[in-house]
Amino acid sequence: MPRYKLLVEYDGTPYAGWQRQSGAHTIQQAIETAITGFSGETVTVRGAGRTDAGVHAAGQVAHFDLRRVWQPDKVHNALNAHLAMAGERVSILDVQAVSDDFDARFSATRRHYRYVIINRRAPLTFELNRAWRVSRKLDADAMGAAAQALVGEHDFTTFRSAHCQARSPMKTMEVLDVVRDGERIEIHATARSFLHNQIRSIAGSLEKVGEGTWQVDDISKALRARDRAACGPVAPPEGLYLMRVDYDER
Amino acid sequence: MPRYKLLVEYDGTPYAGWQRQSGAHTIQQAIETAITGFSGETVTVRGAGRTDAGVHAAGQVAHFDLRRVWQPDKVHNALNAHLAMAGERVSILDVQAVSDDFDARFSATRRHYRYVIINRRAPLTFELNRAWRVSRKLDADAMGAAAQALVGEHDFTTFRSAHCQARSPMKTMEVLDVVRDGERIEIHATARSFLHNQIRSIAGSLEKVGEGTWQVDDISKALRARDRAACGPVAPPEGLYLMRVDYDER
């Protein structure tokens, strides 16, 4: 049975997140409907990251199987045509045929996320629903310094949603950088995998440092507390982007 | 009578352009309504560039007069509050009190526009209505080389809308650069002023060079023809941004 790997971009604004759920419009469902539309087959699409409602992706990866063999290029054009006809804000950037031991979720070796803050008083136009607007002047250097306490292997209980289903709160943060370019502040986060709401919890806590309500070492204190109550407010979903997923070369 | 200078950002997608017209929703009208909303005064707002329907601005400049004196900061907050309440995609980035000989349109010494092409097969998500998607592979170097024929003072009759009201077709193009960054190609255009549809006409003609239908020197031939029929197709409005307007320091 041929397996296909998809590279997917989406504006998460109109969606109840990646994962299919009854009575809600999701990205997984939009892609599954498009696949059925051109192939006539009913499939399940599995994504590398189950992004929440309102979260975006510039490089989500997913896979699915078909009974019939199609050229990847045909699948690519047909999927985009069906998604466009349905008015979806989902675009397939690439399609590849892969071996059947490839799994978009379990084969992933590294996930790269970005959290975007626009630090200005004026309301957003182009970045509306695409970033978190923060009016108070933020100190991005302090945010970057505080973030370094979270790099490495830690118990991230503090920065984990109550709904998180992961067995362990231990995760290894490989990269956590804060980059300012004018009014734009980006938090770049890389790890093999993340806990539910981990990046938004960290972004909300780093914002506290940026505005001066928290000191730089309050982040490491919060981490060491291993207590959800020690976390800052969870940053809104619209600032978060799944940028890229890495896999081992075979 | 106090005069105020506005720096304005807008997503042009839902608007019939900058200029007020009866029976259509325009950016000028949205700002005038917001001014009346907080001040009770009926005003006319004059913009530096009368952008067409669907054209965006990151740095439009406008001015208006009020009878009553307000602190610029109060005007700034009140305008954004009224625009947000009305659900407008218009944001005021800055407000300054200026002398009454300042005119956003006639005092401008230089206008900077950008035309954005996304050169890829996949449909747009984040850049939908914010760029021109071109599927055919474009040679940005050839586009940049061809553009140089348009720099300097020329008769731009070829690249001018039939509806253009300027008295003369002579304009001086100070900068016309083509910059590629991955799938993104930007055309940067700077001049004291432009003819109606000039940049979109040039962008559509440069695209012809990029795809190889036109040769590099076909652009200078088209310019020398001084004939609207020699122009390539006019590029769509959604790729065009008014980026900045310069004024002499006083």
Side-chain angles (χ1 to χ4, degrees), chain B residues 145-159:
Chain B
Q148 296 326 299
L150 304 179
V151 174
E153 189 184 17
H154 299 287
D155 177 335
F156 281 98
T157 296
T158 300
F159 302 101

Side-chain angles (χ1 to χ4, degrees), chain B residues 76-123:
Chain B
H76 193 178
N77 289 333
L79 273 182
N80 277 331
H82 277 80
L83 288 165
M85 268 191 294
E88 302 290 357
R89 290 297 200 104
V90 178
S91 182
I92 308 299
L93 302 182
D94 191 44
V95 177
Q96 288 178 252
V98 289
S99 64
D100 61 6
D101 64 344
F102 173 85
D103 185 290
R105 183 169 171 206
F106 294 115
S107 307
T109 55
R110 207 177 275 117
R111 291 164 172 86
H112 304 265
Y113 280 87
R114 185 170 295 180
Y115 195 92
V116 180
I117 296 171
I118 304 290
N119 189 20
R120 72 179 202 186
R121 281 170 59 188

Side-chain angles (χ1 to χ4, degrees), chain A:
Chain A
M1 212 141 104
R3 177 163 290 191
Y4 298 93
K5 175 187 175 189
L6 304 178
L7 182 64
V8 189
E9 177 185 283
Y10 48 84
D11 171 358
T13 311
Y15 298 99
W18 168 266
Q19 198 159 22
R20 189 213 292 255
Q21 28 181 310
S22 63
H25 191 48
T26 69
I27 299 128
Q28 183 187 0
Q29 178 208 43
I31 298 173
E32 289 173 353
T33 301
I35 295 169
T36 304
F38 83 85
S39 70
E41 298 187 32
T42 303
V43 299
T44 295
V45 171
R46 190 202 288 270
R50 287 165 299 175
T51 56
D52 281 332
V55 172
H56 314 290
Q60 169 77 283
V61 175
H63 79 267
F64 67 97
D65 298 328
L66 287 177
R67 280 188 296 276
R68 190 177 145 189
V69 178
W70 299 75
Q71 288 301 315
D73 213 49
K74 288 253 158 70
V75 173
H76 193 178
N77 289 333
L79 273 181
N80 276 331
H82 277 79
L83 288 165
M85 267 192 294
E88 301 291 357
R89 290 298 200 102
V90 178
S91 181
I92 308 299
L93 302 181
D94 191 44
V95 178
Q96 287 179 253
V98 288
S99 64
D100 61 6
D101 63 344
F102 173 85
D103 185 291
R105 184 170 170 206
F106 294 115
S107 307
T109 55
R110 205 177 277 114
R111 291 164 172 87
H112 305 266
Y113 280 88
R114 185 170 294 180
Y115 195 92
V116 180
I117 295 171
I118 305 290
N119 188 21
R120 73 180 201 185
R121 282 171 58 187
L124 302 180
T125 63
F126 303 117
E127 297 289 352
L128 188 67
N129 300 320
R130 310 272 175 82
W132 181 21
R133 176 174 65 106
V134 176
S135 301
R136 288 166 301 248
K137 181 79 182 158
L138 297 179
D139 179 345
D141 291 338
M143 293 167 70
Q148 296 325 300
L150 304 179
V151 174
E153 190 184 15
H154 300 286
D155 177 335
F156 281 97
T157 297
T158 300
F159 302 102
R160 174 190 199 177
S161 154
H163 306 291
C164 182
Q165 290 167 9
R167 262 166 291 181
S168 160
M170 299 300 297
K171 290 289 171 190
T172 302
M173 186 77 76
E174 296 180 34
V175 173
L176 191 66
D177 288 339
V178 178
V179 181
R180 182 188 269 275
D181 179 14
E183 66 185 21
R184 187 180 186 88
I185 297 174
E186 295 187 350
I187 300 168
H188 297 186
T190 297
R192 183 181 187 92
S193 62
F194 291 90
L195 299 167
H196 188 223
N197 275 3
Q198 187 179 352
I199 301 168
R200 288 169 53 197
S201 298
I202 290 172
S205 299
L206 290 177
E207 193 274 343
K208 286 284 174 198
V209 174
E211 70 179 45
T213 314
W214 284 22
Q215 301 305 305
V216 167
D217 67 354
D218 284 339
I219 291 288
S220 58
K221 283 183 198 159
L223 176 72
R224 287 197 307 270
R226 281 178 283 180
D227 176 358
R228 182 72 187 149
C231 184
V234 176
E238 61 265 29
L240 187 59
Y241 293 74
L242 174 52
M243 297 303 293
R244 200 174 86 224
V245 185
D246 294 342
Y247 297 88
D248 275 342
E249 296 289 335
R250 302 135 186 271

Side-chain angles (χ1 to χ4, degrees), chain B residues 170-189:
Chain B
M170 299 301 295
K171 290 289 172 191
T172 301
M173 186 76 76
E174 294 180 35
V175 173
L176 191 66
D177 287 339
V178 178
V179 182
R180 181 187 270 274
D181 179 14
E183 66 185 21
R184 188 180 185 89
I185 297 174
E186 295 188 351
I187 300 168
H188 297 184

